[in-house]
Amino acid sequence: MSDDGAREAVDPQVMRDVLGHFASGVTVVTASTGEAPIGFTCQSFSSLSLDPPLVALAPARTSSTWPRLRDIGRFCVNVLAEDQSGLSAAFARSGSDKFAGVPWRPSPHGSPVLDDVVAWIDCALWAEYDGGDHTIVAARVLDLGADPDRRPLLFHRGRYGLAEHSGA
């Protein structure tokens, strides 16, 4: 044990399994390059501040899309709906045309808002911080909207939707 009472090393698989019990929403972060839209799936997203209006997201350091979005400086966080797991999977892939056949419209600031999402948050990059194997991104909210009739896509215990309890 270390001086603070924590184990010296936390097994990454145990950490993934334990934290998988926290249900999270699923987002696709999008931007317009001027030539073509780009985007990636991001499960690590949350509200950060009301004054100023900020959100936080955490793309993996291995992301090849985040550096391109960072350079643009503006992007849209699309909160996926429960019937959009296919979009989550498509935008998680590397090297493909992620927008092929995906209907969208430009946000007030020009970033892609995917059709039928639960909510969208138009953002400008505010700050970045070291987050280990991820980058912690704080973004200023420029505009946003939601469809109260849509239900969110959840990710829980390694799969979409809430995993059923298998205990007594």
Side-chain angles (χ1 to χ4, degrees), residues 7 28 31 34 56-57 62 67 71 74 99 106 119-120 143-144 147 149-150 152:
R7 292 183 185 162
V28 170
L57 58 133
T62 58
D71 290 345
R74 291 195 181 202
F99 278 86
W120 57 272
D143 204 347
L144 67 170
D147 182 345
D149 297 326
R150 302 284 284 155

Side-chain angles (χ1 to χ4, degrees), residues 1-10:
M1 294 255 225
S2 67
D3 291 339
D4 65 0
R7 292 183 185 162
E8 289 300 322
V10 174

Side-chain angles (χ1 to χ4, degrees), residues 114-162:
L114 306 179
D115 282 4
D116 301 321
V117 293
V118 170
W120 57 272
I121 303 99
D122 222 358
C123 302
L125 180 61
W126 175 271
E128 284 185 296
Y129 306 95
D130 182 0
D133 58 4
H134 283 67
T135 299
I136 301 167
V137 177
R140 185 170 184 106
V141 176
L142 304 174
D143 204 347
L144 67 170
D147 182 345
D149 297 326
R150 302 284 284 155
R151 292 169 37 120
L153 176 63
L154 297 180
F155 195 76
H156 179 240
R157 296 175 65 185
R159 65 181 192 209
Y160 297 112
L162 292 176

Side-chain angles (χ1 to χ4, degrees), residues 19-20 22-28 40-46 58 155-156:
L19 294 178
F22 178 72
S24 66
V26 182
T27 69
V28 170
F40 68 97
T41 299
C42 185
Q43 181 186 336
S44 298
F45 170 77
S46 68
F155 195 76
H156 179 240

Side-chain angles (χ1 to χ4, degrees), residues 29-40 65 68-69 72 91 96-100 102 104 110-114:
V29 183
T30 60
S32 181
T33 66
E35 296 173 9
I38 58 174
F40 68 97
T65 306
R68 296 171 65 201
L69 272 86
I72 295 167
F91 278 87
S96 61
D97 179 4
K98 299 174 186 181
F99 278 86
V102 175
W104 61 276
S111 297
V113 175
L114 306 179

